[in-house]
Amino acid sequence: MIITLAIVVLVVVVILPILLFGGTHLYRAFRLRQNDPDDIQTVRTASDGLVEFTGTAAELNGTVTGKYSEQECLAYAWEHHDRDAGSTGDNRESNYHMEDRGTEGEPFHVRDETGTVGVDPTGANIYATEDEDEWKNRERIHKERRIEADDRLHIYGHKQTLVERQEGLETESTYVGSNTHGMGKLGKIRTRPHITVGHLLGISSDLHITVGGESDAIKRFGVIGGFFTALGLIQFVAAGLVIFASL
């Protein structure tokens, strides 16, 4: 009885949140596949809320310097991985764990043939797999993904109308950014409980910037969703087998 109760608690507290997180990403991939990105003129005139569009990055309010590359860019994401304690293996990534991560950047413009809109990358998930730089030794791994001027971008985030001027956005009255940046983990869990796992892992931003096109964004959401869904299903089946064996 105690074993069964413990497994039920594990399913509710751990496995179901993993499945919800994976399913949310698979749904996003499906939604992006079903809908074409809007042009920027449509984004600017739309009601505040989730938008999807593509365009070319351009400088708006200066640049930042990459944490590890020391290269000028519009925005970048970085990761710091440390070697696992007691690990004596080679330099495979499985022997390291992520110690810290973050995103830095200045607001920038995204343009297409219909217009221009500001994007605030603060707190974004930035995906640029093919352009990811990596520095590795036996003790640590550093990774950096940059957004540079003239990069082709896919943006999936919240369009917001400014009531008063915001620092870094110059005269922009409309921009796309994150609604949850600045919230603590508990605040994010209360706002979006279905992706609690993402909040705990620090990968739950509601602003997704992909260097590339819509197909690259769909692939990224699909890979993340597929991994967590498969992980949750494996754990769910294992939990069922343990309960069955204990009867």
Side-chain angles (χ1 to χ4, degrees):
M1 180 64 180
I2 295 177
I3 293 177
T4 300
L5 181 60
I7 295 297
V8 170
V9 171
L10 178 68
V11 169
V12 173
V13 174
V14 178
I15 299 176
L16 286 182
I18 290 174
L19 287 170
L20 281 171
F21 183 70
T24 298
H25 276 71
L26 289 177
Y27 172 74
R28 283 177 181 160
F30 175 77
R31 179 175 175 177
L32 293 181
R33 188 176 180 85
Q34 294 296 109
N35 300 309
D36 292 331
D38 290 326
D39 58 53
I40 288 176
Q41 183 180 22
T42 301
V43 170
R44 291 190 66 91
T45 57
S47 300
D48 287 4
L50 272 174
V51 292
E52 177 203 358
F53 62 98
T54 59
T56 302
E59 186 176 331
L60 168 61
N61 189 47
T63 60
V64 292
T65 302
K67 184 180 180 73
Y68 303 124
S69 68
E70 298 185 350
Q71 292 186 27
E72 294 297 309
C73 57
L74 302 177
Y76 67 94
W78 59 271
E79 296 177 6
H80 173 95
H81 301 248
D82 281 338
R83 177 176 280 275
D84 294 334
S87 172
T88 58
D90 56 24
N91 287 358
R92 288 178 296 181
E93 287 203 21
S94 58
N95 292 321
Y96 297 79
H97 65 276
M98 184 182 296
E99 186 68 24
D100 201 4
R101 67 192 302 163
T103 301
E104 305 289 342
E106 293 286 347
F108 55 86
H109 272 145
V110 177
R111 299 171 174 162
D112 67 7
E113 62 276 6
T114 69
T116 301
V117 69
V119 174
D120 183 352
T122 306
N125 285 333
I126 296 176
Y127 307 121
T129 304
E130 294 183 1
D131 298 319
E132 182 176 80
D133 289 333
E134 181 178 293
W135 297 264
K136 177 188 291 188
N137 58 36
R138 284 193 59 81
E139 299 303 320
R140 62 187 58 87
I141 299 174
H142 289 154
K143 296 182 179 182
E144 185 178 289
R145 300 180 295 279
R146 294 184 300 279
I147 297 172
E148 300 176 345
D150 297 324
D151 278 346
R152 182 70 174 168
L153 301 180
H154 176 277
I155 312 289
Y156 184 72
H158 285 267
K159 181 253 182 174
Q160 303 175 52
T161 301
L162 293 174
V163 177
E164 57 186 36
R165 184 175 297 184
Q166 182 167 313
E167 183 179 355
L169 286 166
E170 303 297 336
T171 60
E172 283 288 338
S173 60
T174 296
Y175 79 102
V176 176
S178 168
N179 267 350
T180 59
H181 176 69
M183 291 184 182
K185 288 183 178 179
L186 288 178
K188 290 181 179 180
I189 290 172
R190 284 194 295 267
T191 303
R192 303 161 74 205
H194 57 292
I195 54 172
T196 295
V197 170
H199 300 318
L200 296 176
L201 294 177
I203 54 174
S204 64
S205 175
D206 55 353
L207 173 61
H208 305 271
I209 305 176
T210 303
V211 179
E214 184 183 41
S215 61
D216 298 295
I218 292 171
K219 184 185 301 182
R220 184 69 180 182
F221 281 126
V223 168
I224 295 173
F227 172 80
F228 281 96
T229 300
L231 177 63
L233 288 173
I234 290 171
Q235 292 176 333
F236 188 81
V237 170
L241 291 174
V242 170
I243 291 176
F244 180 78
S246 65
L247 295 178

